[in-house]
Amino acid sequence: PESVDVSRVRRLSGGASRLTWEVLTDPGGAVIVQQERPGSAGANLTMASQSVLLGEAARCGVPVPEVLAAGDDSAGAFVVLARVEGESLPKRIRADAAEMVSSGELARQAGAACARIHAMDPRCAPELSEADSLHSMRSLLDALREPHPAFELGLAHLERTRPATRSSVVVHGDFRMGN
């Protein structure tokens, strides 16, 4: 629609790099709006690339919310997602889905989702396929402008002993119940 009426905005908890709200709209019902937290730009893929990856993930059968809109306006990068019912707090999952947890069904579903993510074509998001992971980690560490000797030693070792380049694959960088 060209316009929607917003009847309620509720801030949701969680999200280290995203501000997240549940927004009740007419037409449309409840949607989820995420925006980069101030100062978090560069810590993750851009929201535009993540939106493209969500679309590709859906095409590959990964259970993800539908991307309704995405962009970058004067307030910053954002994405609007369809709201999906469910639970992400591990304590509640253990209580509410005890049978799924004890039977291993939850682990099977998580493994299947990871396998589908791994099968995605990394060329769907140019930011992904052009990335040099070691360079990205070095840039992120440099941007912190504070010493981290253990990471510095690790990166220096990786720079000296880098294995031969292999074909790229997609992996979820933070696969856990909260995500």
Side-chain angles (χ1 to χ4, degrees):
E2 286 195 22
S3 66
V4 296
D5 291 324
V6 173
S7 59
R8 185 184 79 204
V9 176
R10 181 174 62 107
R11 175 80 188 273
L12 301 177
S13 63
S17 60
R18 303 280 185 261
L19 299 170
T20 305
W21 295 272
E22 178 185 57
V23 178
L24 190 57
T25 66
D26 182 27
V31 297
I32 301 298
V33 177
Q34 291 188 317
Q35 185 178 23
E36 283 185 344
R37 284 186 186 276
S40 70
N44 297 301
L45 294 175
T46 64
M47 295 205 69
S49 285
Q50 288 189 20
S51 297
V52 169
L53 283 169
L54 282 171
E56 178 68 7
R59 192 187 68 69
C60 291
V62 180
V64 295
E66 179 186 1
V67 176
L68 303 173
D72 193 359
D73 65 15
S74 60
F78 69 92
V79 63
V80 180
L81 304 164
R83 186 180 189 290
V84 177
E85 289 296 324
E87 183 57 68
S88 63
L89 297 174
K91 186 175 182 177
R92 288 188 187 157
I93 291 170
R94 281 192 305 272
D96 296 347
E99 187 175 318
M100 275 185 71
V101 172
S102 66
S103 72
E105 181 58 26
L106 184 61
R108 278 189 284 285
Q109 289 179 11
C114 285
R116 289 182 181 120
I117 291 168
H118 193 67
M120 290 169 52
D121 184 348
R123 293 173 295 182
C124 71
E127 186 180 354
L128 241 192
S129 60
E130 296 168 5
D132 175 339
S133 299
L134 189 55
H135 176 73
S136 297
M137 290 296 108
R138 168 62 63 200
S139 296
L140 182 58
L141 189 60
D142 290 347
L144 295 175
R145 299 185 186 271
E146 55 187 44
H148 290 277
F151 290 129
E152 294 287 348
L153 286 170
L155 290 175
H157 175 75
L158 289 171
E159 287 168 351
R160 288 191 310 274
T161 61
R162 182 186 283 228
T165 301
R166 296 183 180 177
S167 60
S168 296
V169 296
V170 178
V171 296
H172 192 299
D174 194 9
F175 193 84
R176 58 187 173 83
M177 290 296 104
N179 285 338

